[in-house]
Amino acid sequence: MAKEIRTRFAPSPTGYMHIGNLRTALYEYLIAKSQGGKFILRIEDTDQERYIEGATDIIYETLKQTGMQHDEGPDVGGDYGPYIQSERKDTYLPYAKKLVENGAAYYCFCTKDRLEEIKANSADKVAGYDRHCRDLSKEEVEAKLKAGTPYVIRQKMPLSGKTSYTDVVYGLVEIENSELEDQILVKSDGMPTYNFANVIDDHLMNITHVVRGNEYLSSTPKYNLLYEALGWDIPVYIHLPPVMKDAQHKLSKRNGDASFQDLLKKGYLPEAILNYIALLGWSPRDNREFFTLNELVENFYIEGLSKSPAVFDIVKLRWMNGEYLRNMDPDKYYALALPYLKKAVASPDIDLKKIASLVQGRADTFMDIAPLIDFIDALPEYSTDIYCHKKMKTDKVNSLENLKAVLSLLKGIDKRDWNEEKLHDSLINLASEKGVKNGQIMWPVRTALSGKDVTPGGAIELLYILGKEESLARIETGIDMLEE
């Protein structure tokens, strides 16, 4: 019987969810779900100095908004809890002591001052620990422990040879053991380091596939040596290339690059963001671009992951988001757009649902709505040059003449009959009576109503939305401007 695939998303609660982190979560979810496995959430909060209040809630909310439901985690439970590292702190020391017993780790009693002195006196400012305590006798160690001397536990790395492993994306990876530092496993306060807790938790939670950034490629031999020293199976490794801001720079939370939450605030849809980042490092077999989360699960194959860095292209994301919005059910679009519509239009008695139907095909994000309809509350200042349109065969003279005719016509329409059908038929008949093309009537009306040369909707829609009173007032303003 095949072993159940188990992946884990293990973020640190240090702020918002950046795009690279979310992509890692997505690939972990897809690797598990595409093979009928489990996706686990674990909160890695051993670095209490970087902990940010409320960040864990952001992680929960992000997974909920994207639809990536975890099978086990701090909020849903499971058979391998607790799923918050700080609640597991008593788990790690026994394993570290076991490593000391079998010669794979050792007690280090060096003070902070001594370690800083080593660094200060080294030509290489990033030089590692000089292994001063590595060969202390058993008696020396026991005496220091008995005396209560503070200590850390360090991993004892082999000093020669190579450690190699196979990564799903990068293939065979070999590291000279001489490059591996005797890393700290347990700190002086008894808390495990990130590197140690990771290995212990992954084993105890039966994690089969470890997915992380390629910056860990050279650290992985350290983890494998721990697995081997403890007699445990080594997981499958999938290291991912970075998501880049441009050819030279990685996307970075520290540099203020957009997080998932930032993109939501800018009017992007969670499903469009997720769809887009799925393609930042993974190629579908059929080169299609649009996937629901369920379709990603159905189509995902691990061999499609790339080792090449992917550049985050906001223009491409905007386009994709726009396609999602244009293809959305109109009622759903209206419900999602309503907060933006209300913010953009303060005038009462405006048919916001009608406006939603006009902007749905034109806005790439919800934040695009306000600039499209900023003329509804108040007519902006505009130049009468807009009335001149070559294709519509309009100029200031015939625009003035036609606006006067329209004004007279519209005054005669009862408020109760102020609907799109009546307005359309009335203006078309007027054009016919005057022997002019429809555009020579419609273009001046639209210009007078909006003060813009591009609007979501034409003259008929704008007349209906603005209502009789406001429409007549704006047309009169247009006539006054053209008469000056």
Side-chain angles (χ1 to χ4, degrees), residues 193-473:
T193 56
Y194 166 85
N195 290 322
F196 186 53
N198 232 279
V199 169
I200 304 302
D201 289 342
D202 283 347
H203 171 75
L204 295 180
M205 293 182 182
N206 283 343
I207 301 304
T208 60
H209 291 61
V210 171
V211 186
R212 57 185 170 220
N214 67 357
E215 65 269 25
Y216 289 100
L217 274 170
S218 60
S219 305
T220 298
K222 299 177 187 177
Y223 307 141
N224 288 351
L225 289 165
L226 291 172
Y227 279 108
E228 288 168 0
L230 291 164
W232 295 342
D233 291 339
I234 292 172
V236 175
Y237 290 111
I238 300 144
H239 287 89
L240 304 172
V243 179
M244 307 294 286
K245 185 176 188 172
D246 52 44
Q248 284 81 38
H249 304 95
K250 282 168 66 171
L251 269 187
S252 164
K253 189 162 56 176
R254 288 175 188 169
N255 292 339
D257 293 324
S259 66
F260 176 71
Q261 285 73 19
D262 291 331
L263 292 172
L264 293 184
K265 286 175 189 169
K266 289 175 181 175
Y268 291 88
L269 294 165
E271 54 267 44
I273 300 169
L274 205 67
N275 187 160
Y276 177 66
I277 67 168
L279 304 174
L280 288 176
W282 175 74
S283 299
R285 287 189 173 96
D286 56 3
N287 291 322
R288 67 187 267 201
E289 291 191 286
F290 291 91
F291 295 88
T292 63
L293 184 57
N294 286 339
E295 287 169 343
L296 283 169
V297 170
E298 289 165 13
N299 288 274
F300 186 81
Y301 68 112
I302 209 164
E303 296 78 13
L305 292 171
S306 169
K307 65 173 73 169
S308 302
V311 176
F312 182 81
D313 182 354
I314 195 69
V315 175
K316 178 74 181 285
L317 174 59
R318 265 187 73 84
W319 166 79
M320 181 170 273
N321 197 75
E323 292 298 301
Y324 266 84
L325 293 178
R326 285 183 271 283
N327 290 304
M328 189 178 282
D329 172 79
D331 288 334
K332 183 182 178 184
Y333 180 87
Y334 174 61
L336 292 173
L338 192 55
Y340 299 90
L341 292 165
K342 285 181 173 177
K343 200 171 178 182
V345 179
S347 302
D349 306 320
I350 294 287
D351 186 346
L352 295 180
K353 194 161 193 178
K354 177 63 181 176
I355 296 176
S357 71
L358 297 178
V359 299
Q360 183 170 0
R362 293 168 172 82
D364 285 336
T365 77
F366 289 123
M367 292 295 278
D368 295 344
I369 291 174
L372 289 171
I373 58 174
D374 56 3
F375 63 90
I376 289 177
D377 275 354
L379 184 67
E381 286 186 21
Y382 68 96
S383 166
T384 53
D385 292 342
I386 305 176
Y387 285 100
C388 304
H389 195 293
K390 197 173 180 181
K391 190 178 174 186
M392 299 294 179
K393 295 185 168 55
T394 61
D395 54 34
K396 293 180 186 181
V397 174
N398 62 24
S399 290
L400 175 59
E401 179 191 330
N402 291 328
L403 277 181
K404 285 180 175 179
V406 168
L407 182 65
S408 176
L409 172 75
L410 294 178
K411 280 181 176 177
I413 297 177
D414 193 280
K415 251 186 172 180
R416 289 169 294 185
D417 295 328
W418 196 269
N419 58 62
E420 287 183 78
E421 187 178 358
K422 176 72 174 176
L423 292 166
H424 174 269
D425 292 348
S426 300
L427 292 189
I428 295 298
N429 289 338
L430 177 64
S432 179
E433 287 167 17
K434 288 177 67 64
V436 300
K437 291 194 176 294
N438 296 341
Q440 284 187 291
I441 299 291
M442 301 297 186
W443 184 262
V445 172
R446 185 170 80 157
T447 302
L449 295 176
S450 67
K452 301 177 84 165
D453 56 0
V454 178
T455 57
I460 305 303
E461 290 96 344
L462 300 190
L463 283 167
Y464 168 72
I465 287 167
L466 291 168
K468 182 174 180 177
E469 199 175 303
E470 182 66 19
S471 295
L472 294 180

Side-chain angles (χ1 to χ4, degrees), residues 18 82 92-93 95 151 153 174 192 279 351 371 374 400 417 440:
H18 65 82
Y92 309 105
L93 190 58
Y95 290 103
Y151 67 85
I153 295 179
E174 277 190 329
L279 304 174
D351 186 346
D374 56 3
L400 175 59
D417 295 328
Q440 284 187 291

Side-chain angles (χ1 to χ4, degrees), residues 115-129:
L115 295 174
E116 285 176 0
E117 190 181 329
I118 296 167
K119 197 170 181 181
N121 293 334
S122 171
D124 180 2
K125 293 303 176 191
V126 291
Y129 176 58

